[in-house]
């Protein structure tokens, strides 16, 4: 079995992100690793219900996410040059970046949802079913 050449670790910036990164790095076993976070546009959440320009708020969210992602990268020995924060629908953006970068392993966290939450879908499920490469869904355990 050939080893992986390029891995993409997608995190949600929750407390469990380190767990996902650590597992991804252990499986990636020395290959080139990229770290990413996807922010859903505020217009997805609020649509046209709020009669105001949300671009400044969106930019602040992106800057905060980038700071957190850079900190996670630094704490785990990943170069900030290999990090990116993108805006869009998480599964679609992860697929896009993976395809554009010739990624052969995507690592995402999975919260193990069941019942109604599972029926409504999850990012890890969406990534798994649309990826053109291997996907590792790391079962994370929420911090109490």
């Amino acid at each position: 079995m050939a080893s992986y050449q390029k891995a993409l670790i997608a995190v949600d910036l929750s407390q469990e992100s380190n767990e996902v990164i650590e597992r991804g790095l252990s499986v990636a076993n020395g290959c080139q690793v990229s770290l990413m976070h996807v922010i859903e546009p505020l217009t997805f959440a609020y649509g046209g219900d709020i009669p105001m320009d949300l671009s400044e708020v969106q930019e602040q969210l992106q800057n905060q996410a980038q700071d957190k992602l850079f900190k996670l990268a630094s704490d785990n020995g990943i170069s900030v040059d290999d990090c990116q924060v993108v805006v869009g629908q998480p599964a679609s953006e992860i697929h896009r970046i993976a395809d554009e970068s010739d990624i052969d392993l995507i690592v995402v966290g999975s919260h193990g949802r069941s019942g109604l939450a599972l029926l409504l879908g999850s990012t890890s499920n969406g990534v798994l079913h649309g990826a053109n490469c291997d996907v590792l869904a790391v079962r994370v355990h929420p911090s109490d």
Side-chain angles (χ1 to χ4, degrees), residues 73-90:
S74 176
D75 290 349
N76 288 281
I78 300 170
S79 169
V80 295
D81 293 336
D82 294 319
C83 295
Q84 58 186 316
V85 173
V86 296
V87 176
Q89 196 280 330

Side-chain angles (χ1 to χ4, degrees), residues 115-127:
L116 184 59
L118 180 61
L119 290 175
L120 294 174
S122 69
T123 298
S124 59
N125 191 44
V127 171

Side-chain angles (χ1 to χ4, degrees), residues 62-121:
Q62 284 178 253
N63 290 338
Q64 290 173 355
Q66 187 173 32
D67 291 345
K68 287 180 181 180
L69 192 66
F70 285 178
K71 171 92 170 80
L72 282 168
S74 176
D75 290 349
N76 288 281
I78 300 170
S79 169
V80 295
D81 293 336
D82 294 319
C83 295
Q84 58 186 316
V85 173
V86 296
V87 176
Q89 196 280 330
S92 297
E93 290 302 315
I94 292 168
H95 293 149
R96 181 182 66 79
I97 296 298
D99 290 343
E100 288 176 1
S101 303
D102 295 321
I103 298 295
D104 52 7
L105 174 66
I106 299 171
V107 181
V108 294
S110 174
H111 294 277
R113 293 181 175 94
S114 60
L116 184 59
L118 180 61
L119 290 175
L120 294 174

Side-chain angles (χ1 to χ4, degrees), residues 2-41:
S3 61
Y4 296 110
Q5 303 300 308
K6 292 183 176 182
L8 174 65
I9 303 174
V11 294
D12 62 3
L13 302 179
S14 67
Q15 291 182 351
E16 293 83 23
S17 293
N18 265 321
E19 187 177 346
V20 175
I21 294 169
E22 289 169 7
R23 184 69 55 87
L25 290 173
S26 71
V27 172
N29 200 22
C31 77
Q32 181 182 342
V33 174
S34 299
L35 192 59
M36 79 175 291
H37 174 69
V38 181
I39 300 173
E40 289 193 60

